[in-house]
Amino acid sequence: MAQRKTSKAIDELTEKEAKSEHARLEAEISEHDQLYYQKDAPRISDAEYDALRRRYEEIEKRFPDLKTLTSLSMRVGAAPSGKFAKVKHAVPMLSLANAFSEDDVRDFVGRIRRFLRLSEGEPIAFSAEPKIDGLSMSLRYEKGELVSAATRGDGAVGEDVTANIRTLKAVPQRLKGRHPPSVCEVRGEVYMTKSDFLKLNARQKESGGQIFANPRNSAAGSLRQKDPKITASRPLGFFAYGWGEISDMPAKTQSGMAEWFKTCGFDTNPLMKICRSVEELIKFHVGIEERRAKLDYDIDGVVYKVDRIDWQERLGYVGRDPRWAIAHKFPAERATTVVKGITITVGRTGTLTPTAQLEPVTVGGVVVQNATLHNEDYIKGIGGDGEQIREGRDIRIGDTVIIQRAGDVIPQVVDVVIDKRPKSAKPYQFPKKCPCYLHTDIVRETTAAGEEGARARCSGEFACPFQKIEHLKLFVSRRAFDIDGLGEKQIELFFEKGWVKEPAEIFTLESRNKKIKLEDEEGFGETSVRNLFTSIRNRREIPLDRFIYALGIRHVGDTTALALARGYGSWKAFHDAALKIAKGDEEAVADMDSLDQIGDTVIEAVKTYFGESHNRGIVERLTKEVTILDAEKPRSDSKVAGKTVVFTGALEKITRDEAKTMAERLGAKVSGSVSKKTDYVIAGPGAGSKLAEAKKHGVKVLSEEEWFKLVS
Ligand code: IVH
């Protein structure tokens, strides 16, 4: 959640604090990306997500050294989930920067003017259109025939959903018109109308199927089906608005391209308009916002694109965003309703989250019955930055409140209508005991700075049943043990039956099965049980980073786990260090602190985890069941060991990620910005400011070819 009660102004952060917060934000944002892009199940609102992202980017702006090639600023979306085959996009699918205010729009136009060296008097035509809250898609046509369809994925590699896309009426199998370009990638947004979404959910409810939170999730869920027949039964539309690889450009402007898409048989947004000044852009934004509720598809803003394509090409990109386009977002949608009750849920890490039970109300076409209240302070109306409730307003059961939903799943309470407060309404008392059957004490989290944090946690750690089951789910998840046939559903069943209460018991399941008789359970047969045991056996060997991630240490996401695994090399080394840290050994703390991407938050979490005897027991029993493979140690004998390198421009032989992994394996440190300390800049075609920086500092510049020669 975007709750940073103690967060400092960016200007006041020390370098160390910035490093630690940057890493923590990176893990948090990656997790939300996963939930949004792969599970189609976001947990926070777009506004909260944007706030996290903004802070992350501001930190990078002040401390450019933190911006490495793996930085989120260089990525879009999340890597493909593995459910579908992968497709490498011929031209990356990028994202859009956001504008939230008129000033942001003015800055955007000003930047373009400066970049193109246009005088104030020279008009710039923009093609403006609604920003559809759907799923971006790249459709590849060769000789006019549809050959593949891919989701955006992480921007470089998406998922192959061709079979599913072929079932959409809105996507032509063959481009209309006589002379289609030999290669043409049409890009746009797959969406579901609001009315179809409501009908689908009604049907799903009747048949006991998955209920979707909003039209975007239902479009994503409908498209990411293994069986195209299911996709075919779901009404999905498509608006074309862009292109990827194309052998012949049929037009010179964005609006001309839209016209051409229409002649090919695509729908384009009928509200698209040419605007020639900031004032016209703003007017367009206001006009579309007024029509928003009446439109039958969800939009979350409007997009402005420089109409002339030659200008788009000159303007190019900054990181993952084009300089020639921007998304001007709408403020969230709001409604008024009454709080009927407040419930508390316990997450994997024991964090207690209060939720308001509401009198059902429609916000932007979606019926809302719950809203997150974040934490105790939020209910008390004690604000910090990033929080949206009005300062000093507490929330009580019986209150009339204003809730907000921003194209998201979990709406939030943003204000209380004090005039309507019933006389009998009393300030809410946050529970002192966990709702789990242990009724353990609830404690307020301490921040790295030693202050009281906003979050309340159950002190029961893994003894708390809520935490245990969530821990088990994380343990078997895709980026942890990833055991085929053992997903959340099975874990819930095994836990309920008392067969698996902690990770080690997954591995003793087979030997206990004579008594358990899993094959007699509904949904299991002899073959599936045999397969399950085989996949469990196959996972008795596990790479160190996955193992560390699977332990479920707070703040240790997969990226951090990898950094720890690379830093320590072996389980023994990591485990010894963790035990020492738990005992307060300062040398061990300093060692961990010296690792790239690791800061106070992670160290504190390792300390708490291994300081708890229950956790140490879980780990000990688990390590008896599995073999943990050493991580690849970076080499110290290569020519680039200990050197700092920066990759810039396009690489032709390998991807950026591969280049980074390779350099790191050879013992080099990969940085995202050039400074005096940089040893090599590897520059591919299109290299810009970093190349100039390298020249300024006298840093050696290598071509991709020369780099390979150096390291081979
Ligand atoms: S133009 C270089 N136009 O918004 C990217 N994008 O937040 C140019 N989107 O990834 C994208 N409606 O999936 C464009 N009318 C529209 C859009 C649109 C929705 C999505 C698209 C993009 C995301 C960025």
Side-chain angles (χ1 to χ4, degrees), residues 123-138:
I124 308 174
F126 290 94
S127 150
E129 63 179 300
K131 182 170 185 296
I132 314 299
D133 199 6
L135 219 83
S136 46
M137 187 62 50
S138 186

Side-chain angles (χ1 to χ4, degrees), residues 94-96 129-132 135-136 152 189 241 303 305 317 322 324 327:
L94 295 153
S95 181
L96 286 173
E129 63 179 300
K131 182 170 185 296
I132 314 299
L135 219 83
S136 46
R152 180 167 75 169
E189 205 83 354
Y241 55 64
V303 186
K305 305 170 197 176
Y317 295 82
W324 47 268

Side-chain angles (χ1 to χ4, degrees), residues 23-34:
R24 186 164 48 76
L25 283 170
E26 189 156 311
E28 198 171 334
I29 295 169
S30 298
E31 188 183 334
H32 291 306
D33 281 345
Q34 286 283 325

